[in-house]
Amino acid sequence: MQLYLNTSSPYARVVRVCLYEKELMECTELCWCDPWAADSELLKITPLSRIPTLVTEGGEVLTESLLIAHYLDAVGEGAKLLPADGLAETLALAGLGQGLMEAAFNVVIGRKHGGPDVDETLLGNRRLKAIERTLVTLEAHPSVLATLGAIVVAVALAYLSFRLPAFDWPNRFPRLQAWFAKVTECDSFALTAFE
């Protein structure tokens, strides 16, 4: 398999963690790329030019981190990331994590291309409030460990610390920080840290 990615994408990190958890990293070639480049190798693979993109052994091109994770869960070894028992809870947690990740990513991209004043727009303000509300919800959310939901939330929180440290969520939400510390103590998180 081939995985197209970059070092700072939270979506790609979700897939990398899943590759380790499902014991598939050894049979996956990492293809580092710039999805914004007009001459990107990625454009030859998918017209979307989005990362992550996974090319399966059969040549199918998969995009969207949660869809790729679902595929890896089906073909890999080890514990199920989407267990039948507790599936709704896992998906609910994954949804919160994905929403947090999207809001944070869009704040970062908005500031990069629109400057800091973008936060004052209706859309920018909405994203910031969504991040804050989601952190409050996650602080109280009964969550499970070692599932796709936990992976997505943990990556989203790590991305928030990496790109938007002013939220200072680890000091403001101690229960969430304790949960995060447990989830990320495994090798799959240490080996996929943001750069």
XYZ file of all heavy atoms in Angstrom, residues 105-175:
555
model
N -8.313 22.937 12.166
C -7.626 23.009 10.874
C -8.084 24.233 10.085
O -7.277 24.956 9.498
C -7.876 21.720 10.077
C -7.199 21.687 8.748
C -5.858 21.364 8.642
C -7.896 21.982 7.580
C -5.214 21.330 7.408
C -7.276 21.957 6.350
C -5.931 21.631 6.264
N -9.378 24.484 10.067
C -9.894 25.622 9.316
C -9.518 26.965 9.935
O -9.352 27.948 9.215
C -11.407 25.487 9.122
C -11.741 24.442 8.085
O -11.087 24.349 7.050
N -12.734 23.625 8.354
N -9.349 27.011 11.258
C -8.832 28.226 11.891
C -7.404 28.472 11.410
O -7.036 29.586 11.018
C -8.881 28.134 13.434
C -8.058 29.250 14.082
C -10.319 28.194 13.931
N -6.589 27.430 11.421
C -5.189 27.555 10.996
C -5.106 27.988 9.533
O -4.377 28.931 9.195
C -4.430 26.213 11.215
C -3.054 26.240 10.565
C -4.323 25.912 12.709
N -5.852 27.335 8.655
C -5.829 27.674 7.228
C -6.394 29.077 7.005
O -5.872 29.857 6.201
C -6.596 26.622 6.397
C -5.858 25.283 6.441
C -6.797 27.083 4.960
C -4.459 25.303 5.868
N -7.463 29.402 7.720
C -8.047 30.737 7.595
C -7.062 31.828 7.965
O -6.923 32.834 7.253
N -6.351 31.642 9.066
C -5.354 32.636 9.497
C -4.194 32.710 8.511
O -3.668 33.784 8.241
C -4.833 32.286 10.891
C -5.835 32.525 11.992
C -5.289 32.082 13.331
N -6.258 32.292 14.405
C -6.059 31.925 15.654
N -4.919 31.310 15.999
N -6.982 32.155 16.569
N -3.803 31.558 7.979
C -2.678 31.531 7.040
C -2.996 32.313 5.773
O -2.152 33.031 5.246
C -2.339 30.074 6.694
C -1.193 29.920 5.716
C -0.892 28.456 5.447
C 0.237 28.314 4.445
N 0.560 26.918 4.168
N -4.207 32.168 5.282
C -4.558 32.788 4.005
C -5.363 34.081 4.141
O -5.438 34.852 3.193
C -5.321 31.787 3.127
C -4.490 30.611 2.747
N -3.484 30.671 1.808
C -4.486 29.333 3.204
C -2.904 29.485 1.698
N -3.501 28.657 2.531
N -5.939 34.325 5.321
C -6.751 35.523 5.498
C -6.262 36.462 6.578
O -6.871 37.504 6.809
N -5.194 36.058 7.278
C -4.668 36.892 8.348
C -5.455 36.706 9.636
O -6.492 36.039 9.668
N -4.967 37.297 10.729
C -5.596 37.099 12.038
C -7.006 37.680 12.136
O -7.800 37.253 12.964
C -4.637 37.801 13.000
C -3.849 38.747 12.161
C -3.789 38.145 10.794
N -7.334 38.645 11.272
C -8.669 39.239 11.324
C -9.762 38.262 10.908
O -10.945 38.515 11.148
C -8.732 40.487 10.437
C -7.893 41.624 10.989
O -7.559 41.583 12.194
O -7.565 42.551 10.221
N -9.378 37.156 10.296
C -10.368 36.172 9.867
C -11.142 35.623 11.064
O -12.301 35.226 10.933
C -9.705 35.047 9.033
C -8.936 34.080 9.921
C -10.728 34.321 8.198
N -10.522 35.626 12.246
C -11.211 35.152 13.450
C -12.405 36.028 13.808
O -13.309 35.585 14.512
C -10.248 35.106 14.642
C -9.220 33.994 14.516
O -9.374 33.116 13.650
O -8.244 34.012 15.293
N -12.412 37.279 13.357
C -13.489 38.203 13.676
C -14.690 38.057 12.748
O -15.738 38.649 12.993
C -12.970 39.653 13.626
C -11.801 39.921 14.552
C -12.077 39.545 16.008
O -13.189 39.830 16.496
O -11.187 38.954 16.649
N -14.532 37.289 11.686
C -15.659 37.078 10.772
C -16.666 36.135 11.423
O -16.363 35.449 12.403
C -15.187 36.466 9.442
O -14.691 35.137 9.695
C -14.109 37.327 8.784
N -17.854 36.076 10.860
C -18.892 35.188 11.372
C -18.409 33.732 11.374
O -18.554 33.020 12.369
C -20.161 35.327 10.520
C -21.323 34.423 10.913
C -21.833 34.797 12.297
C -22.434 34.536 9.887
N -17.803 33.318 10.269
C -17.317 31.946 10.158
C -16.145 31.688 11.104
O -16.086 30.653 11.775
C -16.915 31.646 8.714
C -16.582 30.209 8.365
C -17.719 29.271 8.757
C -16.290 30.076 6.888
N -15.210 32.634 11.175
C -14.070 32.478 12.071
C -14.496 32.387 13.524
O -14.016 31.533 14.284
N -15.426 33.227 13.915
C -15.928 33.219 15.289
C -16.661 31.915 15.584
O -16.533 31.346 16.672
C -16.853 34.430 15.483
C -17.125 34.686 16.930
O -17.833 33.916 17.558
N -16.574 35.770 17.438
N -17.398 31.438 14.613
C -18.126 30.170 14.778
C -17.157 29.011 15.016
O -17.399 28.140 15.852
C -18.985 29.924 13.542
C -19.808 28.660 13.582
C -20.703 28.573 12.339
N -21.269 27.267 12.160
C -22.358 26.821 12.764
N -22.991 27.593 13.618
N -22.812 25.598 12.535
N -16.059 28.984 14.284
C -15.063 27.917 14.450
C -14.456 27.947 15.847
O -14.291 26.906 16.481
C -13.958 28.062 13.408
C -14.392 27.752 12.005
C -13.293 28.090 11.031
N -13.704 27.841 9.662
C -13.281 28.527 8.630
N -12.407 29.510 8.782
N -13.698 28.240 7.422
N -14.087 29.134 16.311
C -13.479 29.258 17.643
C -14.446 28.811 18.734
O -14.058 28.128 19.687
C -13.016 30.693 17.882
C -11.884 31.183 16.975
C -11.628 32.674 17.200
C -10.611 30.381 17.203
N -15.709 29.186 18.599
C -16.712 28.770 19.586
C -16.940 27.266 19.536
O -17.152 26.628 20.577
C -18.018 29.524 19.357
C -17.947 30.974 19.790
C -19.262 31.683 19.578
C -19.146 33.133 20.058
N -20.380 33.884 19.789
N -16.895 26.684 18.342
C -17.057 25.236 18.206
C -15.926 24.493 18.919
O -16.164 23.478 19.585
C -17.109 24.836 16.733
N -14.715 24.999 18.798
C -13.578 24.383 19.493
C -13.804 24.430 20.992
O -13.662 23.417 21.694
C -12.255 25.086 19.108
C -11.910 24.801 17.638
C -11.115 24.638 20.024
C -10.761 25.642 17.101
N -14.179 25.587 21.498
C -14.384 25.750 22.943
C -15.507 24.843 23.444
O -15.354 24.157 24.464
C -14.685 27.217 23.266
C -14.680 27.530 24.737
C -13.334 27.314 25.409
O -12.278 27.520 24.765
O -13.322 26.936 26.594
N -16.623 24.809 22.748
C -17.745 23.959 23.173
C -17.360 22.482 23.146
O -17.751 21.712 24.031
C -18.959 24.184 22.266
C -19.687 25.486 22.459
C -21.013 25.500 21.706
N -20.881 25.155 20.297
C -20.773 26.036 19.317
N -20.784 27.335 19.571
N -20.668 25.624 18.060
N -16.585 22.088 22.142
C -16.186 20.688 22.029
C -15.236 20.294 23.152
O -15.342 19.196 23.712
C -15.558 20.409 20.653
O -16.487 20.801 19.641
C -15.230 18.938 20.484
N -14.332 21.179 23.524
C -13.442 20.898 24.653
C -14.238 20.707 25.941
O -13.974 19.785 26.722
C -12.417 22.021 24.815
C -11.339 22.094 23.740
C -10.536 23.385 23.865
C -10.420 20.880 23.785
N -15.223 21.544 26.165
C -16.078 21.416 27.355
C -16.819 20.081 27.325
O -16.892 19.367 28.333
C -17.072 22.602 27.441
C -18.124 22.361 28.515
C -16.320 23.909 27.714
N -17.342 19.714 26.171
C -18.065 18.445 26.027
C -17.140 17.258 26.266
O -17.502 16.310 26.977
C -18.702 18.345 24.622
O -19.617 19.424 24.467
C -19.419 17.027 24.425
N -15.944 17.304 25.699
C -15.000 16.196 25.869
C -14.529 16.053 27.309
O -14.254 14.939 27.758
C -13.797 16.373 24.933
C -14.082 16.131 23.457
C -12.900 16.596 22.608
C -14.387 14.657 23.199
N -14.435 17.142 28.023
C -14.032 17.085 29.433
C -15.013 16.221 30.233
O -14.621 15.501 31.142
C -13.961 18.499 30.022
C -13.695 18.568 31.508
C -12.240 18.337 31.906
O -11.395 18.037 31.045
O -11.945 18.448 33.110
N -16.277 16.266 29.867
C -17.306 15.524 30.600
C -17.706 14.222 29.919
O -18.468 13.440 30.478
C -18.546 16.406 30.744
N -17.209 13.976 28.712
C -17.637 12.830 27.911
C -17.031 11.534 28.431
O -15.818 11.425 28.565
C -17.215 13.052 26.448
C -17.876 12.124 25.489
N -17.448 10.850 25.268
C -18.959 12.288 24.700
C -18.223 10.270 24.370
N -19.145 11.124 24.010
N -17.866 10.533 28.727
C -17.310 9.225 29.101
C -16.746 8.557 27.850
O -17.487 8.210 26.937
C -18.526 8.465 29.631
C -19.690 9.100 28.951
C -19.317 10.536 28.683
N -15.462 8.443 27.789
C -14.858 7.959 26.552
C -14.139 6.635 26.745
O -13.734 6.285 27.843
C -13.890 9.002 26.016
O -12.959 9.340 27.002
N -14.010 5.940 25.642
C -13.357 4.641 25.644
C -11.958 4.769 25.058
O -11.691 5.639 24.240
C -14.182 3.615 24.837
C -15.459 3.265 25.561
C -14.504 4.144 23.451
N -11.080 3.911 25.496
C -9.706 3.906 25.013
C -9.549 2.879 23.897
O -10.338 1.956 23.771
C -8.750 3.575 26.162
C -8.798 4.509 27.376
C -7.885 3.980 28.464
C -8.405 5.909 26.993
N -8.516 3.044 23.105
C -8.114 2.078 22.076
C -9.188 1.832 21.028
O -9.401 0.696 20.605
C -7.675 0.769 22.718
N -9.892 2.871 20.631
C -10.834 2.768 19.519
C -10.529 3.894 18.544
O -9.773 4.814 18.855
C -12.297 2.911 19.978
O -12.488 4.248 20.468
C -12.670 1.898 21.045
N -11.167 3.839 17.385
C -10.989 4.914 16.418
C -11.432 6.249 17.001
O -10.796 7.274 16.767
C -11.756 4.604 15.132
C -11.634 5.641 14.029
C -10.177 5.840 13.604
C -12.501 5.261 12.839
N -12.484 6.245 17.797
C -12.935 7.485 18.427
C -11.856 8.101 19.291
O -11.600 9.316 19.224
N -11.213 7.290 20.103
C -10.144 7.787 20.971
C -8.969 8.302 20.147
O -8.383 9.341 20.464
C -9.680 6.676 21.923
N -8.627 7.605 19.078
C -7.517 8.034 18.218
C -7.812 9.401 17.614
O -6.977 10.306 17.650
C -7.251 6.992 17.112
C -6.649 5.713 17.722
C -6.324 7.555 16.029
C -6.604 4.532 16.769
N -9.010 9.569 17.066
C -9.357 10.828 16.403
C -9.362 11.986 17.399
O -8.818 13.057 17.117
C -10.711 10.708 15.670
C -11.116 12.044 15.070
C -10.637 9.654 14.576
N -9.947 11.786 18.571
C -9.969 12.852 19.571
C -8.553 13.187 20.027
O -8.184 14.361 20.124
C -10.859 12.475 20.778
C -10.655 13.460 21.937
C -12.321 12.458 20.371
N -7.746 12.179 20.296
C -6.377 12.424 20.766
C -5.553 13.164 19.718
O -4.797 14.091 20.051
C -5.703 11.111 21.158
N -5.696 12.795 18.457
C -4.971 13.508 17.398
C -5.468 14.945 17.294
O -4.675 15.874 17.140
C -5.094 12.773 16.041
C -4.576 13.640 14.903
C -4.329 11.450 16.085
N -6.772 15.145 17.397
C -7.323 16.504 17.331
C -6.777 17.361 18.472
O -6.412 18.531 18.269
C -8.848 16.456 17.372
N -6.703 16.805 19.667
C -6.166 17.547 20.813
C -4.682 17.859 20.629
O -4.228 18.967 20.933
C -6.392 16.755 22.101
C -7.850 16.620 22.554
C -7.965 15.622 23.698
C -8.445 17.969 22.934
N -3.937 16.889 20.109
C -2.514 17.117 19.854
C -2.333 18.208 18.801
O -1.432 19.052 18.904
C -1.840 15.814 19.405
N -3.192 18.205 17.792
C -3.123 19.225 16.747
C -3.448 20.606 17.320
O -2.804 21.595 16.975
C -4.085 18.881 15.610
C -4.016 19.843 14.450
C -2.934 19.796 13.562
C -5.001 20.792 14.236
C -2.854 20.676 12.496
C -4.928 21.670 13.170
C -3.853 21.618 12.300
O -3.767 22.498 11.249
N -4.414 20.657 18.204
C -4.764 21.917 18.858
C -3.562 22.461 19.638
O -3.252 23.653 19.554
C -5.950 21.684 19.794
C -6.847 22.846 20.133
C -7.423 23.517 18.901
C -7.971 22.383 21.044
N -2.869 21.605 20.357
C -1.664 22.031 21.082
C -0.559 22.458 20.127
O 0.166 23.411 20.390
C -1.143 20.899 21.977
O -2.048 20.649 23.021
N -0.432 21.756 19.008
C 0.613 22.011 18.020
C 0.397 23.332 17.284
O 1.318 24.135 17.133
C 0.639 20.831 17.033
C 1.585 20.962 15.880
C 2.944 21.125 16.071
C 1.109 20.869 14.574
C 3.820 21.216 14.986
C 1.973 20.951 13.488
C 3.326 21.127 13.701
N -0.822 23.569 16.828
C -1.096 24.729 15.978
C -1.794 25.897 16.678
O -1.669 27.034 16.251
C -1.955 24.313 14.785
C -1.234 23.453 13.781
C -0.202 24.247 13.038
N 0.255 23.530 11.857
C 1.421 23.729 11.297
N 2.253 24.613 11.788
N 1.771 23.040 10.233
N -2.556 25.606 17.730
C -3.320 26.658 18.415
C -3.110 26.559 19.927
O -4.056 26.351 20.695
C -4.818 26.530 18.065
C -5.182 26.651 16.580
C -6.636 26.265 16.359
C -4.900 28.049 16.065
N -1.867 26.710 20.381
C -1.564 26.520 21.807
C -2.263 27.525 22.727
O -2.383 27.269 23.935
C -0.043 26.672 21.874
C 0.321 27.468 20.662
C -0.680 27.077 19.606
N -2.748 28.638 22.206
C -3.419 29.635 23.045
C -4.691 29.080 23.689
O -5.143 29.603 24.718
C -3.749 30.885 22.229
N -5.247 27.999 23.134
C -6.412 27.392 23.784
C -6.042 26.779 25.131
O -6.889 26.606 25.985
C -7.052 26.331 22.875
C -8.040 26.900 21.916
C -7.660 27.222 20.626
C -9.351 27.132 22.297
C -8.570 27.760 19.726
C -10.268 27.674 21.417
C -9.879 27.991 20.122
N -4.765 26.430 25.307
C -4.247 25.919 26.577
C -5.153 24.846 27.189
O -5.378 24.817 28.394
C -4.045 27.084 27.552
C -3.227 26.686 28.766
O -2.402 25.760 28.659
O -3.447 27.282 29.833
N -5.666 23.978 26.351
C -6.623 22.990 26.846
C -6.062 22.056 27.922
O -6.807 21.671 28.829
C -7.241 22.195 25.679
C -6.295 21.238 25.024
C -5.532 21.449 23.932
C -5.997 19.917 25.466
N -4.769 20.356 23.653
C -5.042 19.390 24.585
C -6.445 19.117 26.522
C -4.532 18.108 24.726
C -5.927 17.843 26.672
C -4.983 17.346 25.775
N -4.757 21.667 27.892
C -4.296 20.735 28.930
C -4.413 21.310 30.346
O -4.710 20.570 31.290
C -2.829 20.477 28.570
C -2.738 20.773 27.103
C -3.700 21.907 26.891
N -4.193 22.593 30.510
C -4.295 23.209 31.837
C -5.721 23.560 32.215
O -6.057 23.617 33.398
C -3.413 24.467 31.911
C -1.954 24.109 31.891
O -1.520 23.169 32.546
N -1.184 24.837 31.101
N -6.562 23.772 31.233
C -7.939 24.168 31.499
C -8.875 22.980 31.698
O -9.941 23.128 32.307
C -8.446 25.047 30.352
C -7.702 26.361 30.250
C -8.096 27.182 29.022
N -9.525 27.316 28.904
C -10.216 27.072 27.794
N -9.604 26.698 26.683
N -11.522 27.221 27.777
N -8.500 21.822 31.176
C -9.372 20.649 31.228
C -8.587 19.443 31.749
O -8.137 18.599 30.969
C -9.952 20.368 29.830
C -10.768 21.504 29.285
C -10.210 22.400 28.378
C -12.087 21.693 29.682
C -10.957 23.453 27.872
C -12.838 22.743 29.188
C -12.276 23.633 28.277
N -8.389 19.365 33.056
C -7.511 18.326 33.626
C -7.984 16.894 33.395
O -7.151 16.005 33.195
C -7.469 18.665 35.115
C -8.643 19.566 35.362
C -8.918 20.271 34.079
N -9.273 16.649 33.419
C -9.756 15.277 33.161
C -9.449 14.868 31.724
O -9.047 13.743 31.457
C -11.262 15.183 33.425
C -11.617 15.221 34.906
C -13.112 15.146 35.144
N -13.688 13.971 34.520
C -14.950 13.896 34.101
N -15.760 14.912 34.207
N -15.401 12.782 33.563
